[in-house]
Amino acid sequence: TCSGVVPMKTRAEEISIVDYGGVGDGEKLNTNAFREAIYRIEHLNRPGGTTLYVPPGVWLTGSFNLTSHMTLFLAKGAVIKATTDTVHWPLIDPLPSYGRGRELPGGRYMSLLHGDGLQDVIITGEHGTIDGQGDVWWNMWRKRTLLFTRPNLLELVNSEDIIISNVVFQNSAFWNIHPVYCSNVVIRNLTILAPPDSPNTDGIDPDSSSNVCIEDSYISTGDDLVAVKSGWDEYGITFGRPSSDITIRRLRGSSPYAGIAIGSEASGGVQNVLVDNVNIFNSGFGIHIKTNTGRGGFIRNITISNVIMNKVRKGIRIAGNVGDHPDDKYDQSALPVVDGVTIKNVQGFNIEQPGTIQGIKDSPFTRICLSNVKLWSEVPWKCDDVTGAALEVQPSPCTELASTLG
């Protein structure tokens, strides 16, 4: 386990949302109650911090900010439910490594739970639920009536020493959990749910963050289960903060897109990622490493092992032609580097196509190594602009990778 990166702690003091006027009837709006309780925690400034206890009930709320040295504890049967009235979702500035909202130019709606510049934050409980009620947002996206980029369910920015555990996240309007510019983050024992047709409901997206541990979770959403990112084109290149030292293990789930993804927004670079013991089923891609001309950055030192796939359309895809651009100001000569990707001990069943590895002509992918990869399919691999090696790969790998085939 890597969860010791941030040790769980017990707070010396506990307050309840009820003490600040909270009503868990699913009807009263509790935004002010959450804000007042968290203001109290911030200004009490107790040694060791304070726990905000959310008892059983349905606690309707708009967006609110967390504070440092706090635990948000959801009791069994507690549901923090997002209001569907967009009036209660403030607008905030775009992230500097994106330059604009991810979906639309300009700002973006603040996440339901948000924090910037925080230390020592724990979100945990007895498997209570944080419900984004995303239907209204998904329908705006489908009808193209969105004015700004949809909100995440949880976003922490410029923060460190974070634990998110033993909670259910469901029906996020957009990405579920988004630690960005963060360090020392533990995410474990979560259930993350959204319908398979819900747009862009990624499970966990560590973004320009380091020392991130994701473990022992079940994710079934409408987009990538885990996607490692680091900024978008010229904005991510300028911001220049990579995602690094990320561990993902003991994960199960399904998605119409990818089980494990890296990119496509990886302009700040992604390095030192370990993925181990993953079970992916009923999905579009098993493993998807994706970038594009104009992205710049690098994807290197990636190790993915002990993966089981079942009913997956394409087992492995490593591609240099994926993802859109924020605007027309990106540098077409900013070519990404993909180097040092090892994928080993993979078993796939009911796989339509084993995989494609398609690099960029002027920036071929290098040191792509497959070992003991058995993706039972009658369709051949397809590769271009790639070098590497393959050992014990079925069906037979591309000739570009066959130099060590035994």
Side-chain angles (χ1 to χ4, degrees):
T1 180
C2 55
S3 61
V5 168
V6 185
M8 182 64 81
K9 62 174 65 175
T10 302
R11 307 290 188 189
E13 182 170 358
E14 178 178 293
I15 62 175
S16 171
I17 190 66
V18 174
D19 301 334
Y20 295 84
V23 178
D25 62 359
E27 296 181 5
K28 179 179 177 179
L29 194 67
N30 291 283
T31 313
N32 287 337
F34 278 108
R35 290 176 179 172
E36 288 175 15
I38 292 167
Y39 179 89
R40 176 70 172 166
I41 291 172
E42 182 179 1
H43 289 83
L44 277 172
N45 196 24
R46 294 288 194 230
T50 302
T51 294
L52 174 57
Y53 178 77
V54 182
V58 179
W59 308 87
L60 188 69
T61 182
S63 302
F64 59 88
N65 281 291
L66 304 173
T67 191
S68 295
H69 310 297
M70 75 167 285
T71 295
L72 178 65
F73 187 97
L74 282 75
K76 183 178 180 181
V79 180
I80 295 177
K81 181 170 281 192
T83 176
T84 56
D85 186 345
T86 59
V87 170
H88 300 287
W89 297 81
L91 288 174
I92 58 175
D93 290 336
L95 292 163
S97 60
Y98 284 77
R100 46 161 278 185
R102 182 59 186 83
E103 297 184 285
L104 291 165
R108 59 210 181 94
Y109 291 101
M110 185 173 119
S111 57
L112 181 65
L113 276 63
H114 195 263
D116 194 341
L118 305 185
Q119 292 182 312
D120 179 26
V121 175
I122 299 172
I123 300 169
T124 190
E126 301 166 322
H127 300 285
T129 298
I130 301 173
D131 185 348
Q133 292 211 93
D135 272 349
V136 63
W137 299 97
W138 306 334
N139 287 332
M140 283 192 286
W141 181 87
R142 292 173 184 129
K143 294 175 182 177
R144 299 187 178 183
T145 58
L146 275 171
L147 299 177
F148 301 96
T149 295
R150 289 172 283 160
N152 304 300
L153 205 45
L154 168 64
E155 181 177 78
L156 296 173
V157 187
N158 296 310
S159 299
E160 62 182 7
D161 298 332
I162 308 299
I163 298 176
I164 307 164
S165 69
N166 300 308
V167 176
V168 177
F169 289 79
Q170 68 182 29
N171 297 327
S172 179
F174 194 55
W175 301 344
N176 277 266
I177 299 173
H178 188 215
V180 56
Y181 322 143
C182 290
S183 61
N184 301 338
V185 180
V186 172
I187 301 171
R188 64 192 305 261
N189 291 334
L190 297 186
T191 301
I192 304 176
L193 304 172
D197 64 346
S198 57
N200 309 105
T201 51
D202 295 24
I204 304 169
D205 287 3
D207 198 340
S208 292
S209 293
S210 59
N211 294 325
V212 179
C213 170
I214 301 169
E215 290 186 333
D216 299 305
S217 295
Y218 176 84
I219 306 174
S220 179
T221 60
D223 212 316
D224 300 336
L225 305 185
V226 176
V228 183
K229 302 176 181 291
S230 66
W232 200 13
D233 285 9
E234 69 268 29
Y235 305 104
I237 293 169
T238 299
F239 194 77
R241 179 164 175 173
S243 278
S244 63
D245 302 300
I246 295 174
T247 301
I248 302 162
R249 57 158 65 97
R250 295 186 300 276
L251 194 74
R252 293 181 62 247
S254 64
S255 160
Y257 289 90
I260 301 296
I262 296 176
S264 70
E265 307 92 319
S267 299
V270 175
Q271 64 186 0
N272 305 339
V273 178
L274 172 64
V275 180
D276 184 64
N277 196 349
V278 175
N279 189 327
I280 301 162
F281 54 92
N282 296 332
S283 295
F285 303 99
I287 298 161
H288 196 187
I289 298 173
K290 44 186 173 173
T291 186
N292 206 343
T293 298
R295 283 287 189 268
F298 53 81
I299 297 172
R300 63 189 182 209
N301 194 18
I302 313 296
T303 301
I304 301 172
S305 62
N306 300 313
V307 178
I308 296 175
M309 307 178 191
N310 193 3
K311 295 183 179 178
V312 171
R313 183 162 50 87
K314 183 175 291 188
I316 297 169
R317 185 189 191 200
I318 307 176
N321 61 349
V322 176
D324 53 356
H325 303 284
D327 49 43
D328 59 4
K329 299 175 184 176
Y330 70 94
D331 181 0
Q332 295 192 25
S333 67
L335 300 178
V337 172
V338 177
D339 175 68
V341 177
T342 298
I343 301 173
K344 61 185 180 180
N345 302 332
V346 177
Q347 290 277 347
F349 307 93
N350 301 303
I351 308 296
E352 290 184 25
Q353 182 179 7
T356 58
I357 306 175
Q358 294 180 293
I360 298 170
K361 182 177 180 181
D362 295 326
S363 183
F365 297 168
T366 54
R367 296 194 301 153
I368 310 299
C369 300
L370 309 180
S371 174
N372 189 27
V373 175
K374 308 293 174 62
L375 299 170
W376 307 105
S377 172
E378 301 299 322
V379 180
W381 287 79
K382 183 177 181 181
C383 301
D384 293 297
D385 301 308
V386 57
T387 59
L391 178 66
E392 297 182 0
V393 175
Q394 294 180 350
S396 296
C398 308
T399 55
E400 293 89 343
L401 303 182
S403 58
T404 63
L405 184 64

